[in-house]
Amino acid sequence: MFDVKRIREDFPLLKTKMQGHPLIYFDNGATSLKPQVVIQAINDYYTKLGSNSHRADYDLSYYTSEAIEATRKEVASFINARPEEIIFTSGTTAAINGLAIMLKKFLKKGDEIILSYHEHAANTLPWFALQQELGLVIKYVELTKNGEITTDNLRRLITKQTRIISLALISNVMGVVSKPQKISNLIKDQNIIYIIDAAQAAPHEKIDVKAFDCDFLVFSAHKMLGPTGVGVLYGKMEQLESLDPYLYGGSMNDKYDKTGKMSYLNVPTKFEAGTPNISNIIAFKAAIMYLKSIGMEQIREHELMLREYVIQQLIKEVPKIIIYNKEIESNTVIFNIDGVFAQDVATYLNSYGIAIRSGEHCAKLLHYYLGVGSTLRLSFYLYNTKEEVDVLVAALKAGGDFLDGFFK
């Protein structure tokens, strides 16, 4: 049974107050709160291990190395991959940037990369940089009226020059879910690299890279109850073996000499130069185990219940509400109040201890689809409640003079 009251007891930050009010945290699309087991795991590393990994012949270093590899196995199990296909990075942004650098050797002037207007800056700017450097062509798949990506629209865009398709599994703004199996089937045997940005999906959906049949998939720990500064780059083994490292240093090399001749260790070690974010990688395992103990399907059902409830209440109680993704099933609700600047609303809600995101949400191309730049984003997670939604709606109803009298 999904017991949100019990779950909330695991999150210390929910016991604090903001602006004299209990914290209500609706910005989970940006980052999630951390349960005590994750915080404790970080503390345990510094109090019980404290050493570097893969660099010494004493017990503490061995135990540290084993703890990192245990996380790698847990991540692999979570997305149905092999442990050696899991590379630790500092986050989704670092993973995509690294991929762009490593894939550069396979690209030439005139080659095409397909994106969508949904994409986060982490999945646009690295490709823009390559576009400028190599003379690539960036193309955008047409969205339906609900913001969805269809295989028909994608098919019309693909040519013999298409080399990369890089799309979010779930949009960080609209919450639109792409259909990876259909995309991978569409491009099978076309020598097109398929990359999935799963930063918004991994915290909420079951990820199965074998079913998706993608070449690469990336996500971050901090959006799924884990620490900041840890990300994952998954790649099919044959793809990873074809790539050269994008970081060089200790732990990734087999040997080198004064002439500059060098060789690398095997995948994934050859992509993990330097000292990793050890404490946070170890704590990431605690986050995944916590999510698995609750159940991803139960978390998803809870979020969709909250989403349906908040949309009903906003439409019923808040004048001039504009909701942009009413038809999309996700953990996010994107809205504005007609005539009121989004940041003003977010600042006002902060006075009630309500944390909500406003602005472009790092997806600055989406205005081409929405026709508006700044919006408000509610993003739910497993510890949010209907009672918190009621506080939000009541605060908006009481907006009055602060929000330029939009209720008048």
Side-chain angles (χ1 to χ4, degrees):
M1 179 180 178
F2 190 91
D3 187 348
V4 67
K5 184 176 180 180
R6 184 199 62 76
I7 289 170
R8 288 175 63 84
E9 291 297 317
D10 295 334
F11 292 82
L13 203 53
L14 291 176
K15 299 177 175 66
T16 64
K17 288 191 175 183
M18 297 291 168
Q19 301 284 335
H21 299 274
L23 170 65
I24 296 177
Y25 188 78
F26 286 147
D27 195 21
N28 296 286
T31 195
S32 66
L33 304 183
K34 317 307 174 192
Q36 185 60 44
V37 290
V38 170
I39 298 169
Q40 187 61 49
I42 295 172
N43 185 63
D44 284 347
Y45 164 74
Y46 288 110
T47 57
K48 299 178 181 179
L49 294 174
S51 69
N52 214 324
S53 60
H54 305 109
R55 283 176 170 80
D57 299 313
Y58 53 85
D59 287 348
L60 286 179
S61 182
Y62 171 78
Y63 296 142
T64 298
S65 301
E66 288 295 290
I68 289 175
E69 295 311 310
T71 299
R72 198 186 308 275
K73 291 177 183 177
E74 195 67 43
V75 171
S77 174
F78 190 74
I79 66 171
N80 194 24
R82 297 157 54 188
E84 55 267 32
E85 295 173 319
I86 303 300
I87 297 163
F88 290 122
T89 71
S90 64
T92 300
T93 299
I96 298 178
N97 275 268
L99 261 182
I101 293 169
M102 293 189 291
L103 291 173
K104 184 168 66 172
K105 71 176 184 178
F106 300 112
L107 300 172
K108 64 183 186 303
K109 184 177 181 178
D111 285 347
E112 299 170 351
I113 298 176
I114 294 178
L115 308 172
S116 81
Y117 290 145
H118 286 302
E119 304 312 312
H120 188 281
N123 196 29
T124 54
L125 300 187
W127 307 119
F128 290 177
L130 280 191
Q131 176 191 36
Q132 294 169 12
E133 180 182 350
L134 301 178
L136 306 179
V137 177
I138 302 291
K139 301 167 76 172
Y140 301 94
V141 59
E142 182 181 354
L143 305 178
T144 68
K145 65 178 182 179
N146 290 331
E148 296 173 322
I149 297 170
T150 67
T151 51
D152 286 341
N153 286 345
L154 194 56
R155 183 183 293 108
R156 283 192 284 268
L157 209 57
I158 293 172
T159 71
K160 292 182 179 179
Q161 284 71 48
T162 303
R163 295 292 174 262
I164 294 173
I165 295 175
S166 189
L167 299 171
L169 183 52
I170 297 180
S171 160
N172 76 303
V173 182
M174 296 288 288
V176 173
V177 181
S178 64
K179 299 177 175 60
Q181 291 96 330
K182 291 185 177 181
I183 294 173
S184 59
N185 287 337
L186 174 66
I187 63 176
K188 193 177 292 292
D189 301 323
Q190 293 193 53
N191 195 32
I192 297 173
I193 295 171
Y194 179 29
I195 302 168
I196 295 179
D197 174 0
Q200 294 294 330
H204 312 283
E205 300 271 349
K206 181 175 175 55
I207 304 295
D208 188 336
V209 294
K210 286 188 172 61
F212 293 172
D213 197 23
C214 55
D215 294 290
F216 301 98
L217 181 140
V218 298
F219 59 99
S220 297
H222 73 94
K223 295 182 189 293
M224 48 189 297
L225 308 185
T228 57
V230 176
V232 172
L233 167 59
Y234 155 82
K236 288 181 177 177
M237 182 54 66
E238 59 268 30
Q239 292 284 7
L240 293 175
E241 289 178 337
S242 73
L243 300 177
D244 296 322
Y246 64 102
L247 292 175
Y248 297 84
S251 293
M252 53 73 65
N253 67 84
D254 180 28
K255 55 186 176 181
Y256 61 92
D257 60 29
K258 66 180 182 180
T259 69
K261 183 179 180 181
M262 58 183 174
S263 59
Y264 313 129
L265 295 172
N266 293 330
V267 175
T269 313
K270 77 172 183 177
F271 299 111
E272 294 180 347
T275 298
N277 192 344
I278 299 171
S279 63
N280 289 12
I281 289 174
I282 293 172
F284 188 21
K285 178 187 175 185
I288 294 176
M289 293 179 68
Y290 184 92
L291 287 172
K292 289 169 69 174
S293 73
I294 303 298
M296 299 306 292
E297 291 183 6
Q298 287 77 8
I299 293 171
R300 174 73 169 165
E301 290 173 3
H302 178 70
E303 293 167 346
L304 293 180
M305 177 275 294
L306 290 175
R307 184 181 192 280
E308 181 179 357
Y309 181 69
V310 75
I311 289 175
Q312 290 175 350
Q313 295 303 107
L314 287 174
I315 293 173
K316 177 183 176 182
E317 302 290 347
V318 181
K320 298 186 179 180
I321 191 80
I322 304 170
I323 301 175
Y324 298 98
N325 63 341
K326 284 188 290 188
E327 308 303 320
I328 303 298
E329 290 192 350
S330 74
N331 74 311
T332 63
V333 177
I334 303 300
F335 70 99
N336 268 327
I337 294 168
D338 192 20
V340 185
F341 185 45
Q343 190 172 9
D344 287 343
V345 179
T347 301
Y348 164 72
L349 290 174
N350 179 64
S351 69
Y352 284 81
I354 301 170
I356 184 174
R357 180 69 49 152
S358 67
E360 297 172 309
H361 318 293
C362 297
K364 295 186 178 181
L365 300 180
L366 195 58
H367 72 273
Y368 290 111
Y369 170 76
L370 286 178
V372 61
S374 185
T375 58
L376 293 151
R377 182 182 69 184
L378 283 169
S379 47
F380 297 118
Y381 212 5
L382 69 167
Y383 37 69
N384 292 127
T385 67
K386 292 175 72 173
E387 290 76 15
E388 290 180 319
V389 170
D390 291 338
V391 175
L392 167 74
V393 174
L396 289 172
K397 286 179 65 177
D401 294 336
F402 184 90
L403 297 179
D404 299 327
F406 74 94
F407 290 118
K408 296 179 180 178

